[in-house]
C-alpha cells in the first residue's frame, strides 16, 4: 500500500482533473463547428437556388409574352429576340451560355408534352423552337444548371433538386 500522504495526493489530482474545465468549450466547438458551418452553407445554397427558381419563373413568363403576342413570330430573328430577353432577365444569376429552352406548339395542350429529356451533362436533349401561329397552344420551358458554393454540396443538392432548374409556361397565342 502506499502512505496516506501518497493516497491523498492522487485523490486531489483526480478531483482537480474531474473539475478542470479549461479547453472544454474549444473542444466542443471544434467538434460542432464543421457540422454547423456545413448546415449554414447548405441553408444559404438552398436559398440561392430558390431565388434562382423565382427569377427563372419571372424570366420565362417575360420572354413567353413575346411569343404569346406574336412579336417573335413576326420578327426576322425571333429566336434571337426570345433568347436575348430570357438571357437579359437571368444575367444576374447565370451566364447566357447556361440558359436552355424548349418551345413547342400544337393545336391543343393534349398534343404537347412537358417531358424534358436531359443528358448526363444536364443539357436538354429534346430542345426545339416552335413558337406557333395565332391561337395555337404553346409550352415554353426554360432552365439552367445552378452553381454551388461548395463542391461537396453540389451532389447533395442535385439529388434533391435535380441537375437542372426548369420553369414552364403554357398559354394560347393571341390572334395577332
Amino acid at each position: 500500500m502506499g502512505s496516506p500522504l501518497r493516497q491523498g495526493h492522487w485523490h486531489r489530482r483526480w478531483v482537480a482533473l474531474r473539475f478542470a474545465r479549461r479547453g472544454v468549450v474549444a473542444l466542443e466547438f471544434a467538434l460542432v463547428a464543421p457540422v454547423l458551418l456545413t448546415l449554414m452553407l447548405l441553408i444559404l445554397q438552398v436559398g440561392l437556388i430558390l431565388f434562382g427558381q423565382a427569377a427563372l419563373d419571372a424570366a420565362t413568363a417575360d420572354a413567353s409574352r413575346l411569343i404569346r403576342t406574336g412579336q417573335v413570330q413576326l420578327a426576322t430573328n425571333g429566336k434571337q429576340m426570345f433568347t436575348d430577353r430570357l438571357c437579359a432577365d437571368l444575367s444576374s444569376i447565370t451566364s447566357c451560355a447556361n440558359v436552355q429552352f424548349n418551345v413547342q406548339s400544337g393545336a391543343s395542350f393534349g398534343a404537347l408534352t412537358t417531358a424534358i429529356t436531359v443528358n448526363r451533362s444536364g443539357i436538354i436533349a429534346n430542345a426545339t423552337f416552335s413558337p406557333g401561329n395565332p391561337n395555337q397552344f404553346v409550352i415554353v420551358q426554360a432552365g439552367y444548371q445552378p452553381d454551388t458554393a461548395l463542391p461537396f454540396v453540389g451532389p447533395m443538392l442535385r439529388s434533391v433538386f435535380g441537375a437542372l432548374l426548369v420553369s414552364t409556361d403554357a398559354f394560347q397565342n393571341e390572334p395577332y
Side-chain angles (χ1 to χ4, degrees), residues 11-45:
H11 177 21
R12 280 193 309 259
R13 184 173 247 179
W14 180 82
V15 169
L17 285 175
R18 184 168 185 256
F19 291 106
R21 296 289 179 192
R22 278 191 184 159
V24 172
V25 173
L27 180 64
E28 288 175 351
F29 182 75
L31 292 172
V32 173
V35 174
L36 183 65
L37 184 63
T38 301
L39 284 174
M40 287 175 38
L41 289 174
L42 191 61
I43 289 169
L44 178 68
Q45 187 65 53

Side-chain angles (χ1 to χ4, degrees), residues 133-150:
N133 297 317
N135 297 320
Q136 275 196 312
F137 296 91
V138 180
I139 291 182
V140 175
Q141 296 167 309
Y144 76 97
Q145 293 176 331
D147 296 326
T148 55
L150 297 173

Side-chain angles (χ1 to χ4, degrees), residues 24-90:
V24 172
V25 173
L27 180 64
E28 288 175 351
F29 182 75
L31 292 172
V32 173
V35 174
L36 183 65
L37 184 63
T38 301
L39 284 174
M40 287 175 38
L41 289 174
L42 191 61
I43 289 169
L44 178 68
Q45 187 65 53
V46 169
L48 289 173
I49 287 176
L50 292 175
F51 173 75
Q53 182 66 53
L56 180 63
D57 290 341
T60 303
D62 191 30
S64 294
R65 181 158 176 72
L66 295 175
I67 294 174
R68 187 174 342 152
T69 58
Q71 295 176 51
V72 167
Q73 294 88 330
L74 298 175
T76 55
N77 57 353
K79 184 175 181 180
Q80 188 62 44
M81 175 192 279
F82 177 82
T83 304
D84 290 345
R85 175 65 61 93
L86 193 61
C87 289
D89 290 345
L90 293 173

